[in-house]
Amino acid sequence: PFFAYEPAFFSRIVETDFVAAWNMVRLVYNGMKLSGGSIINISSIAPYTNGGVVELPYSASKAAMHELTRAVAAEGGVHNIRSNALLLGVVRTAFVKKYWDELDLGSVVEKSPLRRLVELSEVTDAMLFLLSSGGSAITGEMLNISGGDYLTY
């Protein structure tokens, strides 16, 4: 239950998964106002899945990051600052390999519409697209890169 989290644990997760991104945006925003640019936040599909029930601090942090992304897009557009977020599902990484059994990630993949992990190259390709001229009119968007995982909740 949400009330079972210790406040210090909850705060640590929010600091790591939201406040750090907010601080980074604050550091670069004024400089970007001079020439524009693109901010890409790395987030998660967790706020749209059972993540909100199972991992409330993480999901709440990622939902806050989605709103940060939208706020920066709305305010930064006049300065040619674009802001988008990549909402990731299970991506093939060393972390996923290490915790595959413990987190029962095989069952997540089995339920996924594409029945496979997202490859890291697919994430970087999306980033490169958003940074390219092809993505120059895209701002305030949450690009879901989950193999459809969010559809199964």
Side-chain angles (χ1 to χ4, degrees), residues 45-56 59 111 152-153:
I45 62 170
Y48 308 111
T49 67
N50 284 345
V53 175
V54 178
E55 293 291 340
L56 177 62
S59 293
K111 291 183 226 171
T152 64
Y153 292 92

Side-chain angles (χ1 to χ4, degrees), residues 83-98:
S83 176
N84 295 289
L86 302 182
L87 280 53
L88 306 182
V90 183
V91 179
R92 188 184 308 275
T93 63
F95 175 87
V96 165
K97 184 176 181 180
K98 182 176 179 180

Side-chain angles (χ1 to χ4, degrees), residues 8 14 19 22 25 54-55 66 77 83-84 109 120 126 147 153:
V14 172
V19 175
W22 177 69
V25 170
V54 178
E55 293 291 340
H66 301 172
S83 176
N84 295 289
V109 171
L120 195 53
Y153 292 92

Side-chain angles (χ1 to χ4, degrees), residues 25 27-39 79-82:
V25 170
L27 284 171
V28 301
Y29 186 81
N30 283 333
M32 291 179 78
K33 284 166 66 173
L34 301 173
S35 60
S38 181
I39 294 170
H79 303 289
N80 198 31
I81 298 172
R82 295 179 298 109

Side-chain angles (χ1 to χ4, degrees), residues 25 28-41 69 72-85 127-133 135-141:
V25 170
V28 301
Y29 186 81
N30 283 333
M32 291 179 78
K33 284 166 66 173
L34 301 173
S35 60
S38 181
I39 294 170
I40 301 175
N41 289 311
T69 299
V72 171
E75 294 178 26
V78 69
H79 303 289
N80 198 31
I81 298 172
R82 295 179 298 109
S83 176
N84 295 289
M127 292 176 79
L128 290 171
F129 170 72
L130 289 172
L131 294 169
S132 76
S133 60
S136 64
I138 300 171
T139 193
E141 294 299 324

